[in-house]
Amino acid sequence: MRTIEYDTIVETVARLCIEACYNLEEDVLGTLQKAIARESNKQAKQILTQLIDNARIAQAERIPLCQDTGLTIIFVEQGADMAVSHPNDRPKATLFDAIQEGVAIGYERGLLRKSVVTEPLHERTNTGSNTPAIIHHSIAPGDNLHITIMAKGGGCENKSQFRMFNPTESKETVAGWIVEVVNQAGANACPPFIIGIGIGGDFEQCCLISKKALLRSLDSKHPDSFYAQMESELLATINRLNVGPQGLGGDTTALAVLIETAPCHIASLPVAVNIECHSHRHKSAVL
Amino acid sequence: MSKEIQIETPLTDGQIDTLRAGDQVRINGIFYTARDQAHKRLCALIETGQELPVDLSGQVIYFVGPTPAAPGRCIGSAGPTTSSRMDAFSPILIRAGLKGMIGKGYRGEPVRKALQQYKAVHFATLGGAGALLSKHIIDAEIVAYEDLGAEAIRRLYLKDFPAVVAYDAFGGTVYDR
């Protein structure tokens, strides 16, 4: 059994939070560059260029890419043959405690905005630490610890939707609804978007895989040719909506459509659309 | 794409008369920040006939909750938040003398009507470009609701701040497509 130091996990999570909010991923930058070359609307071209300028300023001058540094979502894949050491003063602290501590430290040290409130409907007091982060944990063979953090903005998350279809529904009907969800998100959710789609699973797994889909490289294709084709058809249809960057028109409403699927009940066809803004912030590390 | 128009705040009715949806502008002068919770508090004061902590007559509100400022800077990342969440509150503030707002995304019909009735304007700026936009903010000071943290009301001084007229005072919008 391999042991990873508690403090190593804390520091890694803190670093990933900061890096995600200051450095835009290369695949996003590359996709924006390609979109500029393809875009026929002059104002849209100008906005896409400003988004690349924004990323350059963020990195060079150490200013977060966006003021909404998000709710922190953590995907952690724990090797079955690894364990976490306990800090001397807290013998009962777990992997999850280390992750939460790392988020709190990262948001403080990185001068990131704390955007989490204690409860949703009554007082809405800010927790002051951007915790609790949402942790999705899984077990894998081996003795590594894979940590991925995503800083998910509120504006785009607010426009995400879920729907249960009849299992006999066609691909075209499902696709039509997905396009309508994106159209409704429009200017409010900071286009150009990355569209994460979950198809299958149950109520909560469907939403979870729609978010996990966002972690794929924007250049990647679904391994199943049926869904790969659906991704490219959806992207083409969405980019004909003329929502455009910032909702001001143009050929670039989405940068990528990414589908994840899961087995589901014979009676069900759940579909979730997780809208992600162009400021697509995520970083991973393997310990 | 139209030529950029230079704008100074506070906004005058004469200036608002010249603006049309789709105009690209550069804004200079004082802005106040306010998001959801500050709007809720301001409107509660107005509805109970109490004095506001800031005089909004002729002023412009920027819907923003910035990141903390790094040492030597006046503000952190500072891009717009979604305007429609302020739809329930903006008509009340417009009636109380607010002349402009800046955010991202769509406004509802009651806001569009209030813009026409009281001669005001709504601008959109670059969502998700808070680093770039922060370069156009040269001064920032908390003036009310410090307990709200990022959502406190700040007085900002903007220089050549880029925006587009999203909804004008004549019912026009840049989002009709």
Side-chain angles (χ1 to χ4, degrees), chain A residues 194-242:
Chain A
I194 294 111
I195 312 292
I197 296 169
I199 307 178
D202 67 347
F203 185 71
E204 83 277 4
Q205 190 187 35
C206 185
C207 293
L208 179 56
I209 62 176
S210 76
K211 184 151 285 163
K212 266 191 177 163
L214 295 172
L215 297 173
R216 270 175 46 201
S217 163
L218 303 195
D219 312 319
S220 67
K221 293 245 171 281
H222 195 283
D224 178 327
S225 62
F226 174 86
Y227 292 109
Q229 193 187 339
M230 190 170 176
E231 287 175 347
S232 60
E233 286 168 2
L234 277 167
L235 183 62
T237 309
I238 287 165
N239 282 336
R240 283 194 296 270
L241 287 172
N242 197 30

Side-chain angles (χ1 to χ4, degrees), chain A residues 20 23-30 65 280-284:
Chain A
N23 299 320
L24 201 58
E25 292 279 334
E26 285 300 322
D27 62 336
V28 183
L29 281 168
L65 287 153
H280 179 39
R281 291 154 293 169
H282 61 97
K283 293 281 173 195
S284 298

Side-chain angles (χ1 to χ4, degrees), chain A residues 22 83 95 97 99-100 104 121 123 149 155 163-164 168 187 197 226 238 245 252 254 266 268 282-283:
Chain A
Y22 285 86
L95 169 63
D97 295 320
I99 291 170
Q100 299 292 2
L121 201 52
E123 303 235 319
I149 89 110
R163 184 168 162 184
M164 288 288 189
T168 49
I197 296 169
F226 174 86
I238 287 165
T252 318
I266 52 171
S268 300
H282 61 97
K283 293 281 173 195

